[in-house]
């Protein structure tokens, strides 16, 4: 009997792997990113180059690997120990702790509070930008810890006790009282089942129980529907007293060393943001210190929310940049129909559009960081007021479609979970939803403009500085002024208004501070040409090749 030759050779080589790009691994996410380096230097952060270079090497190396592991192995919740004692323990993969330790060691959570001054917020935003590319999930507790500082300062006696360890470059994940730790992390719990955006619908109650060295203390009873990073050492919590909605610092452990009854009910099973645990909690008579004035809880916690919104801008800008970079790198290593993908005119249009979006987002995010570095300048302070809601709305809103388009440029492997494009897509909606969803940001823009006319004046002054260089920009700004003068149905129209204002701010920032070619391309693409409904609709005059060359990873 004769057998078929192939049947005898069970280890026959079926094929050679051809035409697949090399993965973007073991690279420096700072030195390879010319756009990031440009904008950090442009806004006074050049002094942080060494810190950013060393963090960039880790983000392109061990932290990138840790990011994949921390997102593959979800946090796990254990309510009780083996003998039935309540422990409320969330356990993370070691990679999560490695990411937290690296970021805290680099000052992601504290740099401008530790060393305020020129460039501090810009450099710290650079660290966040890099870290997000390794893992956005850990960005949640890092951001909340960072953002808690301005709110905690409303209670100076408590701030004096807590801030030195909140801003320390030390990460201690142990489930032990805060008094035993050299470094502390902070979370926030505002959202309840019946109201997230509308926190005045909160039902959690707080009753006074005494005084701790001059700081009023309370006992809290109620629930919180979303409480992320529940292993944080303490949480800023909103609850009603007889005076009104107030803000409290609620620790995991009571000052006497006992466990505070802040009980985790379960963890959310989320589409994205997987490395980060988000929980439902109940406060069963939990101890808390009052922060700020009683009845002024929203005002107090807004100082924290302003900083988390700023971080959403930076985080989403990082995701845009990472997506564009992955798409450019991938298409540069793959051919179809006889030519490299990134050289084919239609793909070049898509890639340039993705890169343009990412650069415009980074430009306004770091412009705002630059303003945060100058709090004593009235113009800059006014810009922060309006720019935070404006930028948070626009950059975060642009992310999901951008992530999808990056994935499609990579093709089918972009949908597979071992490709970072898949994670970018799952994570993309998160920043738009939390810390004030899209509509809430638009309403906030209107509120700021109504209460602080100087904020709109500051933004208009930024636009005016860019006048006379691009006719399409000038026409756009003129129409914008008419739009805002018309108060008819302004709430109904606010998304359209905010979108136009955000595009004008991005264009002005590129014109005032950016490379002339990029600014011209942005104006042509977003203010004068293209349908704008899909990426890849840049008008013919745009030099797509130059934009892609600028955004490609320099390896
Ligand atoms: C991954 C994740 C983690 C989170 N972690 C935390 C946490 O740690 N702590 C915490 O407190 N919260 C947390 N949240 C909750 C988050 O902040 C809320 O989901 C958010 O504030 C929106 O509240 P909501 O879900 O109740 O939506 P709703 O308030 O019901 O809003 C639903 C929609 O209605 C819109 N809307 C609301 N008011 C108006 C209006 N007046 N006009 C027009 N439209 C309006 C909103 O923009 C939104 O699109 C987290 C959320 C997510 C997704």
């Amino acid at each position: 009997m004769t057998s078929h030759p192939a049947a005898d050779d069970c280890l026959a080589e079926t094929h050679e792997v051809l035409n697949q790009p090399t993965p973007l691994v073991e690279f420096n996410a700072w030195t390879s990113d010319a756009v990031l380096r440009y904008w950090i230097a442009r806004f006074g952060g050049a002094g942080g180059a060494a810190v950013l270079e060393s963090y960039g090497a880790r983000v392109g190396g061990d932290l990138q690997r840790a990011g994949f592991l921390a997102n593959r192995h979800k946090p796990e919740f254990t309510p009780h120990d083996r003998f039935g004692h309540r422990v409320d323990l969330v356990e993370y993969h070691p990679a999560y702790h490695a990411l937290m330790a690296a970021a805290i060691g680099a000052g992601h959570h504290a740099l401008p509070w530790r060393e305020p001054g020129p460039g501090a917020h810009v450099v710290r935003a650079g660290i966040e930008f890099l870290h997000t590319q390794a893992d956005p999930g850990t960005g949640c507790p890092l951001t909340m810890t960072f953002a808690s500082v301005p709110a905690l300062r409303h209670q100076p006696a408590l701030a004096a006790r807590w801030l030195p360890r909140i801003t320390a470059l030390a990460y201690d994940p142990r489930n032990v009282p805060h008094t035993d730790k050299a470094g502390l992390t902070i979370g926030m719990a505002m959202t309840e089942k019946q109201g997230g955006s509308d926190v005045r619908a909160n039902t959690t109650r707080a009753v006074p129980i005494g005084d701790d060295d001059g700081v009023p203390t309370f006992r809290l009873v109620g629930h919180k529907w979303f409480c992320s990073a529940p292993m944080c050492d303490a949480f800023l919590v909103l609850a009603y007293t007889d005076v009104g909605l107030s803000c409290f610092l609620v620790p995991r452990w009571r000052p006497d060393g006992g466990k505070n009854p802040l009980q985790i009910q379960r963890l959310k099973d989320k589409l994205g943001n997987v490395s980060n645990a988000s929980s439902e909690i109940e406060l069963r008579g939990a101890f808390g210190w009052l922060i700020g004035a009683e009845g002024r809880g929203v005002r107090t916690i807004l100082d924290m929310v302003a900083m988390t919104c700023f971080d959403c801008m930076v985080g989403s800008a990082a995701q845009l940049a990472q997506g564009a970079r992955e798409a450019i790198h991938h298409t540069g290593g793959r051919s179809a129909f006889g030519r490299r993908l990134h050289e084919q005119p239609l793909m070049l249009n898509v890639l340039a559009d993705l890169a343009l979006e990412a650069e415009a987002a980074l430009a306004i995010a770091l412009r705002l960081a630059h303003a945060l570095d100058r709090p004593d300048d009235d113009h800059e302070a006014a810009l922060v007021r309006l720019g935070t809601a404006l930028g948070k709305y626009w950059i975060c809103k642009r992310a999901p479609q951008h992530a999808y388009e990056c994935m499609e440029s990579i093709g089918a492997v972009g949908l597979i979970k071992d490709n970072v494009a898949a994670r970018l897509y799952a994570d993309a909606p998160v920043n738009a939803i939390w810390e004030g969803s899209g509509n809430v940001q638009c309403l906030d823009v209107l509120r700021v403009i109504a209460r602080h006319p100087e904020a709109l004046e500051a933004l208009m002054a930024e636009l005016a500085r860019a006048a006379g260089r691009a006719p399409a920009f000038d026409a756009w700004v003129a129409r914008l002024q008419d739009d805002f003068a018309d108060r008819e149905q302004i709430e109904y129209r606010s998304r359209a208004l905010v979108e136009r204002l955000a595009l004008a701010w991005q264009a002005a920032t590129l014109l005032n501070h950016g490379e002339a070619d990029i600014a011209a391309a942005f104006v042509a693409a977003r203010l004068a040409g293209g349908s704008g409904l899909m990426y890849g609709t840049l008008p013919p005059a745009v030099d797509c090749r130059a934009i892609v060359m600028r955004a490609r990873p320099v390896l």
Side-chain angles (χ1 to χ4, degrees):
M1 197 171 95
T2 54
S3 64
H4 191 279
D8 292 340
D9 188 357
C10 59
L11 290 177
E13 291 292 336
T14 60
H15 67 289
E16 197 182 334
V17 177
L18 297 171
N19 194 26
Q20 291 283 3
T22 53
L24 195 48
V25 293
E26 302 306 333
F27 69 107
N28 188 312
W30 163 257
T31 54
S32 66
D33 190 337
V35 177
L36 177 62
R37 283 186 287 124
Y38 174 90
W39 286 101
I40 290 278
R42 194 71 191 79
F43 288 130
V51 173
L52 293 165
E53 181 167 349
S54 92
Y55 208 68
R58 297 200 63 186
V59 166
D62 66 312
L63 296 183
Q64 186 195 57
R65 292 191 293 279
F68 276 104
L69 285 172
N71 282 279
R72 191 178 308 145
H73 303 281
K74 291 182 180 184
E76 288 179 5
F77 171 49
T78 305
H80 301 91
D81 71 8
R82 71 184 69 169
F83 300 114
H85 303 110
R86 184 105 208 169
V87 286
D88 293 296
L89 193 66
V90 177
E91 288 173 296
Y92 299 90
H93 189 273
Y96 174 93
H97 296 303
L99 285 154
M100 289 293 291
I104 288 180
H108 180 310
H109 68 306
L111 211 59
W113 314 137
R114 292 172 60 86
E115 298 164 33
H121 274 285
V122 173
V123 174
R124 186 255 158 199
I127 296 171
E128 186 204 338
F129 187 92
L130 293 170
H131 183 86
T132 303
Q133 297 177 22
D135 173 48
T138 38
C140 174
L142 292 164
T143 280
M144 291 193 293
T145 302
F146 167 67
S148 70
V149 172
L152 287 170
R153 284 181 177 153
H154 286 275
Q155 188 54 273
L158 203 65
R161 281 188 252 160
W162 280 74
L163 292 193
R165 284 170 303 139
I166 289 174
T167 57
L169 303 182
Y171 174 57
D172 186 344
R174 291 174 304 146
N175 187 21
V176 298
H178 57 90
T179 42
D180 295 352
K181 291 189 174 191
L184 303 175
T185 53
I186 305 293
M188 74 200 300
M190 299 188 291
T191 309
E192 296 184 7
K193 288 174 185 156
Q194 71 286 351
S197 311
D198 183 8
V199 290
R200 293 199 181 276
N202 276 190
T203 60
T204 298
R205 298 286 310 172
V207 292
I209 51 171
D211 177 277
D212 174 23
D213 237 355
V215 183
T217 55
F218 285 75
R219 191 171 170 272
L220 280 73
V221 176
H223 82 282
K224 294 290 166 182
W225 183 225
F226 275 87
C227 177
S228 289
M231 294 307 287
C232 283
D233 296 290
F235 304 85
L236 272 94
V237 177
L238 287 182
Y240 272 102
T241 68
D242 287 344
V243 176
L245 195 58
S246 308
C247 182
F248 300 90
L249 183 69
V250 177
R252 272 181 71 80
W253 297 80
R254 292 173 182 275
D256 64 10
K259 193 175 172 311
N260 208 9
L262 177 157
Q263 298 184 343
I264 301 171
Q265 302 304 300
R266 60 172 173 169
L267 298 187
K268 305 280 194 188
D269 187 10
K270 293 173 289 180
L271 167 72
N273 194 249
V274 171
S275 64
N276 178 37
S278 297
S279 67
E280 296 165 20
I281 61 168
E282 287 186 356
L283 301 148
R284 300 180 159 232
F287 169 91
W289 293 280
L290 179 69
I291 306 293
E294 195 176 344
R296 300 275 291 154
V298 175
R299 175 65 205 85
T300 304
I301 212 159
L302 275 182
D303 279 348
M304 178 171 187
V305 174
M307 296 312 300
T308 58
C309 285
F310 164 69
D311 269 16
C312 287
M313 289 174 68
V314 177
S316 288
Q319 290 171 314
L320 298 177
Q322 185 175 20
R325 184 179 67 207
E326 289 286 335
I328 292 170
H329 179 75
H330 183 94
T331 52
R334 189 161 172 86
S335 300
F337 305 103
R339 245 203 307 175
R340 294 266 176 184
L341 276 172
H342 78 322
E343 286 164 355
Q344 311 219 16
L346 186 52
M347 181 57 87
L348 205 51
N349 194 331
V350 173
L351 297 174
D353 211 352
L354 294 171
L356 203 53
E357 187 72 29
E359 179 154 0
L362 178 62
I364 58 168
L366 291 186
R367 175 66 188 88
L368 212 62
H370 188 45
L372 286 168
D373 276 329
R374 292 179 292 168
D376 300 330
D377 181 317
D378 290 344
H379 171 82
E380 299 298 304
L383 191 63
V384 168
R385 231 175 232 139
L386 183 56
T388 308
L390 189 60
K392 201 278 189 182
Y393 173 77
W394 184 242
I395 298 176
C396 302
K397 266 271 180 274
R398 295 291 283 170
Q401 196 193 344
H402 191 277
Y404 148 67
E405 202 65 68
C406 294
M407 185 189 261
E408 187 174 306
S409 301
I410 291 169
V413 292
L415 198 81
I416 309 306
K417 282 192 176 175
D418 59 8
N419 195 305
V420 78
R423 194 170 81 213
L424 279 170
Y425 183 71
D427 282 340
V430 175
N431 281 341
I433 294 173
W434 69 14
E435 306 308 327
S437 314
N439 287 354
V440 170
Q441 296 302 325
C442 289
L443 297 177
D444 203 36
V445 168
L446 296 187
R447 186 190 58 81
V448 170
I449 290 172
R451 285 202 201 156
H452 306 279
E454 75 282 4
L456 186 59
E457 282 160 24
L459 194 77
M460 288 298 179
E462 296 275 309
L463 306 187
R465 270 189 63 197
R469 271 178 275 168
F473 173 78
D474 295 345
W476 185 275
V477 173
R479 213 180 107 198
L480 198 57
Q481 274 157 342
D482 294 343
D483 287 345
F484 273 97
D486 174 9
R487 309 298 296 175
E488 189 76 23
Q489 288 197 305
I490 195 151
E491 189 172 320
Y492 178 77
R493 296 188 290 119
S494 58
R495 273 200 185 211
L497 282 177
V498 169
E499 175 176 329
R500 293 178 58 73
L501 194 59
L503 285 169
W505 186 29
Q506 287 185 311
T509 308
L510 293 170
L511 286 163
N512 288 333
H513 307 283
E515 297 282 3
D517 291 353
I518 299 292
F522 188 85
V523 170
R526 302 286 188 265
L527 310 190
S531 72
L533 295 176
M534 291 287 171
Y535 288 105
T537 55
L538 297 179
V542 171
D543 185 349
C544 293
R545 191 175 302 277
I547 297 171
V548 170
M549 286 302 285
R550 178 172 163 80
R552 81 190 192 291
V554 185
L555 301 173

